[in-house]
Amino acid sequence: MQLNERETPEGLLVSVCDDDVLGETFEEGEFSLTVTEEFYAGEAATDGDVVESLARADVANIVGTNAVDLAVEEGIIDEEAVLEVGETRHAQLLRMY
């Protein structure tokens, strides 16, 4: 998986994607999702790295079946909040304090 962290005025923004979806575009009805290298490319990450990063995230974007499934299994994302976009899965996280 690719893991990218950046500090923003709103807090830690984390983007995670499966390696095989990087650079791809997925469509479902009128909805289109492009997994750009600019936003998602980062460091190669293990499952543990991803879980640790998502646990600290204030905002997160997660794309790819493996990445989203991991976030759901770890209780970070609720399955009901997951979108099926074409041949992949997408979830977003926003923590409000």
Side-chain angles (χ1 to χ4, degrees), residues 53-76:
S53 183
L54 289 174
R56 293 183 291 108
D58 295 297
V59 178
N61 287 277
I62 310 163
V63 182
T65 301
N66 294 331
V68 172
D69 286 353
L70 176 63
V72 169
E73 289 168 11
E74 292 295 323
I76 297 167

Side-chain angles (χ1 to χ4, degrees), residues 5-23:
E5 292 186 356
R6 41 183 112 41
E7 285 293 337
T8 71
E10 292 76 30
L12 180 63
L13 169 61
V14 173
S15 51
V16 178
C17 74
D18 292 353
D19 291 320
D20 65 338
V21 300
L22 191 60

Side-chain angles (χ1 to χ4, degrees), residues 16-88:
V16 178
C17 74
D18 292 353
D19 291 320
D20 65 338
V21 300
L22 191 60
E24 299 291 328
T25 297
F26 300 92
E27 296 182 355
E28 186 71 32
E30 294 182 20
F31 185 74
S32 177
L33 172 66
T34 301
V35 188
T36 63
E37 289 193 23
E38 177 180 84
F39 188 77
Y40 287 94
E43 298 182 17
T46 65
D47 288 2
D49 296 333
V50 169
V51 169
E52 180 182 312
S53 183
L54 289 174
R56 293 183 291 108
D58 295 297
V59 178
N61 287 277
I62 310 163
V63 182
T65 301
N66 294 331
V68 172
D69 286 353
L70 176 63
V72 169
E73 289 168 11
E74 292 295 323
I76 297 167
I77 297 290
D78 188 318
E79 179 67 41
E80 293 180 15
V82 176
L83 299 174
E84 301 287 336
V85 184
E87 299 173 2
T88 196

